[in-house]
Amino acid sequence: MPQRILIALGSNVHREYNLPRAVRLLRRDPRWRVLAVSPVYHSPPVGGKKQDPDFFNAAVLLETDLTLEELHQALRQIEARMGRVRTDDKFAPRTIDLDIVFVQGRKANLHGSQLPDPDIFHYPHLAFPLADIAPDWIVPGTSTTLKHIADALRPSAQEIYPMTDTDILSRINAFSHYGTDQIFEAEENEVYDPEFEALIRKILIRIGENPDREGLRRTPLRVAKAYDFLTSGYTTTVEEVVNNAIFHDGCDEMVVVKDIEFFSMCEHHMIPFFGRVHVGYLPKGKVIGLSKIARIVDVFARRLQIQERMTNQIADAMMDILEPMGVAVVVEASHLCMMMRGVQKQNSSTITSAMRGLFRKDARTRAEFMNLISDR
Ligand code: ZN
């Protein structure tokens, strides 16, 4: 049985860089699914020396089949990868802290520490982000929710506030909220992902370039950011983008959304292919906000793809979340890797389709859909 678990994050060394990076590594890990990420809170150090830098704190809700011990080990590995050295000083400055603090619905014990972590009752920097993403979780054996705990701590915690700085927010949210411009820019003195940037630098040298010349100086950073964005589908789930925007409705007429723009990269050459997606479904009690369909497309487009698989994945995702009478997906795309070689003529496109349920069984339903999307 998968368990839902809350993880507390904290950083006060290069925190603008380390906190978003930890969220990215968590999102990118196949051993669990990140269901929610809290806002980032700014907080003064607790119990430490006055001169210690302030913290960024956040919380992540994830779902996993791992045991608590396995999850604990996995989080320690991520910390180590991010340069964390654990000492006995509970309040020492740290690049990143990833702590299991709460398992939904039960008490637990991890290396002699109790869960839920008793610290959540005392420290607003822990309680606030947890309450943002799991307000209704009840402390086992009580009737106290995380929201109650956070509300009780609020009057004494004016120094702890959510960040509204757009830079940190875009770094964290670029992977769940689409369309931010900053992710293709390089800020002065910005640090993003030195490991990845070093790889891009090697590619530049390998192709005969000088990575230190003015125009290329910040290219590795921009490429790292662009790739994170272009492959953000790996770290985003359909559940997360749909975010409960499914409505119950008696409507049983065909719903068609056409001309959804998408940009993807072919998995054979890592070169873009792009075009339009048309989606239709026949509801059976459940409908979804139209803008969410475009986001579902992005979840699958922003990965290394082949067009056929992407088409099927979009159709299957729609079937899963809406359980409709049927789904139809048609994708028209131009592949740069073919166009640049002259294999594909400039104006031709590759068309793929995936039909599920009634759209597959019933030729008239299918014809109605095809008619609607070709009607321009
Ligand atoms: Zn290709």
Side-chain angles (χ1 to χ4, degrees), residues 266 268-269 337:
C266 79
H268 303 123
H269 310 92
C337 66

Side-chain angles (χ1 to χ4, degrees), residues 10 14 90 105 111 166 203 271 307 355 360 376:
H14 297 304
K90 195 176 169 187
H111 296 262
T166 52
I203 293 177
I271 288 177
Q307 186 179 331
M355 300 290 157
R360 174 183 285 243
R376 300 179 194 281

Side-chain angles (χ1 to χ4, degrees), residues 218-233:
R218 306 285 279 164
T219 296
L221 179 138
R222 288 191 206 93
V223 173
K225 291 174 90 173
Y227 265 77
D228 262 346
F229 176 73
L230 297 170
T231 62
S232 57

Side-chain angles (χ1 to χ4, degrees), residues 339-357:
M339 295 164 77
M340 292 164 82
R341 287 181 294 165
V343 175
Q344 184 178 328
K345 291 277 172 281
Q346 299 295 323
N347 295 319
S348 74
S349 60
T350 307
I351 299 178
T352 48
S353 68
M355 300 290 157
R356 302 285 185 269

Side-chain angles (χ1 to χ4, degrees), residues 94-132:
R94 69 279 316 272
T95 52
I96 195 71
D97 235 359
L98 299 172
D99 290 323
I100 300 172
V101 290
F102 203 146
V103 183
Q104 187 175 30
R106 69 181 178 95
K107 290 184 181 171
N109 206 291
L110 186 65
H111 296 262
S113 307
Q114 300 170 41
L115 297 176
D117 186 335
D119 281 353
I120 63 179
F121 293 96
H122 307 294
Y123 294 123
H125 68 266
L126 280 175
F128 290 1
L130 294 171
D132 286 332

Side-chain angles (χ1 to χ4, degrees), residues 149-163:
I149 294 171
D151 287 346
L153 290 168
R154 243 172 258 285
S156 60
Q158 285 87 355
E159 286 175 294
I160 294 165
Y161 52 87
M163 298 299 297

